[in-house]
């Protein structure tokens, strides 16, 4: 089992263990073409800035940090979460941001 599949399994296990994560969709994707940044995820929401993060260890700690960030992203108006609110486990993992159609990030 590759790292990405192990990360998805960890995300699903952590999600199932805590009702705070019930509103977060965890979807597996075969590949995000981020080979150098293995264990890559894409956090996104309708009409919000999305983020691609990578270089995670496929374990429970990473999964919890990712899900904690996803909750904050979902609660935000435009997908921007202030740095001071970022879980420690996602700092240093951002690869790129993806603005929604018709939006220029500031």
């Amino acid at each position: 089992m590759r790292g990405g599949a192990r990360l998805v399994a960890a995300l699903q296990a952590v999600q199932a263990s805590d009702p705070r994560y019930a509103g977060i969709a965890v979807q597996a994707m075969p590949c995000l073409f981020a080979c150098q940044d293995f264990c890559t995820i894409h956090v996104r929401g309708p009409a919000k800035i999305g983020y691609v993060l990578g270089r995670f260890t496929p374990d429970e700690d990473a999964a919890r940090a990712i899900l904690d960030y996803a909750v904050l992203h979902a609660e935000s108006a435009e997908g921007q979460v202030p740095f001071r609110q970022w879980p420690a486990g996602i700092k240093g993992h951002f690869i790129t941001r993806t603005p929604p159609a018709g939006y220029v990030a500031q």
Side-chain angles (χ1 to χ4, degrees):
M1 182 183 281
R2 292 180 184 243
R6 291 196 323 266
L7 182 58
V8 168
L11 286 163
Q12 291 170 335
V14 170
Q15 183 181 39
S17 73
D18 193 327
R20 292 181 304 143
Y21 306 131
I24 304 299
V26 175
Q27 301 171 325
M29 188 166 176
C31 181
L32 288 177
F33 291 140
C35 303
Q36 299 300 316
D37 299 307
F38 51 90
C39 289
T40 301
I41 62 150
H42 186 199
V43 177
R44 63 184 178 171
K48 292 186 178 193
I49 296 170
Y51 297 90
V52 176
L53 298 88
R55 300 177 301 277
F56 288 104
T57 301
D59 60 19
E60 182 180 333
D61 290 339
R64 189 165 307 280
I66 291 165
L67 290 169
D68 286 344
Y69 180 78
V71 167
L72 294 170
H73 181 270
E75 292 172 348
S76 70
E78 295 180 346
Q80 294 177 309
V81 177
F83 179 80
R84 68 183 175 278
Q85 294 180 347
W86 291 7
I90 64 142
K91 291 178 179 176
H93 291 274
F94 285 82
I95 298 170
T96 186
R97 66 180 171 178
T98 55
Y103 180 88
V104 177
Q106 306 258 344

